[in-house]
Amino acid sequence: MTNRLKKELRDSLRQSRRNLLSKDQQFASNRVYDLVTKQGFFISATNVAFYLSFDGEIDPGLIAQKAMDQGKSCYLPVITDENTHQMDFDLYDQSSILKKNKWGIEEPVSQDCQISPAKLDLVFVPLVGFDDNCSRLGMGKGLFDKTFNFKNQNSLAQPLLVGLAHECQRVQKIPAEDWDVKLDLVVTAKKIYQSKIG
């Protein structure tokens, strides 16, 4: 798929996500919360990374609150000026001070409480599109793939990568490049999709 066609697909899926009514957005986020918090992968995780939703993404805020209530260590991605090509993960709790990065997404003001991506147990990942085999279409910056590219050498390595999405973001096939990192699972309000190894 050419870059132009990929951009058209990305724009179309983002618009579908934005077109959802507020009550439908809330219902989907609540349903995803119900599904995720009953799963063994969530219950057993200690170090968990989240994202702050924008542009119609599934909101993982309730899941993050549950994780904090259970004493899990929670993290958010941070893009530093020293390393603009991949994500760092900084500690996130109710006392965290947030600031907007250059893309307008809030992230914690660094407290020097970072964790290596490979030491996370579980990462909740936003996405623009996905398919039944958990291939992911992101925003096109490549930060996710560069940060977790070690999973391409060993797909069973931690962390578990779990995409959160609306069902309207599902497509028949996401065109994958060699460097793209596949998700382990994608959770929507309807079901949990699982990656097929290989």
Side-chain angles (χ1 to χ4, degrees), residues 50-113:
F50 293 88
Y51 62 90
L52 297 178
S53 62
F54 88 120
D55 193 44
E57 293 168 344
I58 287 282
D59 183 359
L62 287 175
I63 304 171
Q65 187 59 59
K66 177 91 166 178
M68 288 178 204
D69 291 346
Q70 293 180 346
K72 300 180 191 296
S73 296
C74 299
Y75 297 85
L76 283 178
V78 175
I79 314 299
T80 63
D81 291 335
E82 300 81 42
N83 189 4
T84 57
H85 300 297
Q86 67 178 51
M87 298 177 289
D88 293 323
F89 290 88
D90 220 314
L91 200 61
Y92 171 60
D93 58 30
Q94 276 109 344
S95 66
S96 295
I97 299 167
L98 303 176
K99 65 173 176 56
K100 288 188 177 177
N101 65 20
K102 63 181 179 180
W103 293 295
I105 301 169
E106 290 193 320
E107 58 186 29
V109 174
S110 181
Q111 309 170 52
D112 292 324
C113 298

Side-chain angles (χ1 to χ4, degrees), residues 15-28:
Q15 192 58 53
S16 295
R17 192 173 64 183
R18 281 191 215 108
N19 287 345
L20 292 169
L21 297 174
S22 177
K23 67 181 178 63
D24 294 330
Q25 288 269 7
Q26 190 62 56
F27 173 82

Side-chain angles (χ1 to χ4, degrees), residues 27-29 31-33 35-36 58 127 130 162-170 185-193:
F27 173 82
S29 292
R31 178 74 180 124
V32 166
Y33 165 84
L35 280 172
V36 163
I58 287 282
L127 53 89
F130 74 98
V162 179
L164 303 181
H166 297 284
E167 195 66 32
C168 67
Q169 294 173 257
R170 178 173 161 249
L185 305 167
V186 176
V187 184
T188 72
K190 182 179 174 184
K191 67 180 281 190
I192 297 177
Y193 297 84

